[in-house]
Amino acid sequence: MDMKNVENEDKTIIYNILHTLSESGEIVFSYKIFPKSIFLTLSKLQALTYDMLEKIHMVSERIENITMNLRKKSVVVLIKRQMNTKITIRKREVCDKRMAEASASHFVYKNNIRKEDKRVFTAIIKHFFAWTWKSVACHIELEKVGDHYKVQVTSLMEIDYKKLRTLDQMGPWIRDMQIDLESAVLSFEVSRTETINDSQQPNKKTKYN
């Protein structure tokens, strides 16, 4: 694709993103340029891992976010353009904490989560409640397999890298995050807390909402 209307620095970022995804097979891309940002749309991707999203995000500090539109089966990378602009901080809309807490408690009770794992799953469910606040509610399916749980999240309208990063930072119990764009499913595993070796220094900062 001819990118004559794209500045060289922005063009380099786009090429580096495409190179990072080159092992995923054929990729179709398009872009829209606005005064403050560039929206790079990638299609024909069937699946992505959280590790791959991290690699894309690390391409440049000007990559603001990565969003996966599960209905359109596409990935949109938001690239900030290099310019001096006044930053406006918008008021963040916060979800109903009582409803989030009630939803988490119901999930923990319904799925008979062990006492040792309740805190982790309460944080996870509250995170997804906030994620889908004032949107279509997602469905979370849980399967206990040996010393870990397999989690599948469906009915998400889109998947946001920043929200995935918050989920990842909850602790070393959460791993193997994968996004299937074809079936519109986010999946990950949660290790039972007692299986984590206390003597091992986790490589993630534990964070609960």
Side-chain angles (χ1 to χ4, degrees):
M1 178 182 289
D2 183 12
M3 292 196 289
K4 289 182 178 179
N5 57 334
V6 181
E7 294 181 6
N8 288 333
E9 191 172 342
D10 296 331
K11 192 182 298 184
T12 299
I13 293 173
I14 293 173
Y15 281 141
N16 286 340
I17 291 170
L18 296 175
H19 178 72
T20 301
L21 291 168
S22 59
E23 295 181 0
S24 302
E26 182 185 1
I27 301 171
V28 175
F29 75 96
S30 60
Y31 61 89
K32 291 183 179 179
I33 300 177
F34 295 92
K36 297 180 181 179
S37 57
I38 296 175
F39 288 83
L40 174 66
T41 301
L42 309 167
S43 56
K44 286 205 170 183
L45 286 164
Q46 295 185 344
L48 282 169
T49 64
Y50 178 73
D51 289 342
M52 183 58 72
L53 292 175
E54 279 193 314
K55 288 180 181 178
I56 297 173
H57 192 257
M58 291 295 290
V59 164
S60 171
E61 62 182 8
R62 291 205 282 117
I63 294 179
E64 179 71 14
N65 203 3
I66 307 163
T67 304
M68 284 129 285
N69 189 315
L70 299 181
R71 289 194 170 184
K72 295 182 179 180
K73 304 185 189 304
S74 62
V75 178
V76 178
V77 183
L78 175 58
I79 305 169
K80 292 186 297 183
R81 299 189 70 187
Q82 194 80 287
M83 57 196 316
N84 294 322
T85 56
K86 184 179 179 181
I87 298 175
T88 302
I89 300 176
R90 297 180 180 178
K91 184 178 179 181
R92 182 182 176 186
E93 191 170 356
V94 182
C95 74
D96 190 312
K97 291 184 178 180
R98 289 185 179 180
M99 291 179 65
E101 193 72 46
S103 178
S105 297
H106 176 71
F107 182 89
V108 166
Y109 174 78
K110 180 181 176 182
N111 289 277
N112 195 26
I113 302 295
R114 297 186 322 157
K115 181 179 178 181
E116 296 87 347
D117 304 323
K118 284 184 178 180
R119 188 182 179 197
V120 174
F121 275 98
T122 296
I124 291 172
I125 301 306
K126 287 167 67 176
H127 176 64
F128 279 104
F129 188 91
W131 183 330
T132 57
W133 178 244
K134 291 196 174 181
S135 180
V136 178
C138 65
H139 298 285
I140 301 176
E141 297 179 7
L142 188 69
E143 180 185 359
K144 297 176 184 175
V145 182
D147 288 332
H148 63 274
Y149 303 86
K150 287 189 174 182
V151 183
Q152 283 197 336
V153 186
T154 58
S155 298
L156 287 169
M157 302 291 287
E158 62 181 28
I159 296 176
D160 185 310
Y161 169 74
K162 288 185 176 180
K163 293 184 176 71
L164 287 181
R165 185 170 58 186
T166 300
L167 181 64
D168 180 67
Q169 290 174 343
M170 286 183 185
W173 306 276
I174 298 170
R175 63 189 186 191
D176 196 25
M177 278 192 276
Q178 299 189 31
I179 305 99
D180 190 323
L181 293 171
E182 290 296 315
S183 57
V185 174
L186 166 64
S187 62
F188 57 93
E189 292 184 0
V190 180
S191 297
R192 292 184 173 180
T193 52
E194 66 182 21
T195 64
I196 301 294
N197 186 352
D198 291 335
S199 64
Q200 181 181 3
Q201 293 294 328
N203 56 4
K204 301 177 185 176
K205 181 180 179 181
T206 303
K207 181 180 180 182
Y208 293 107
N209 291 330

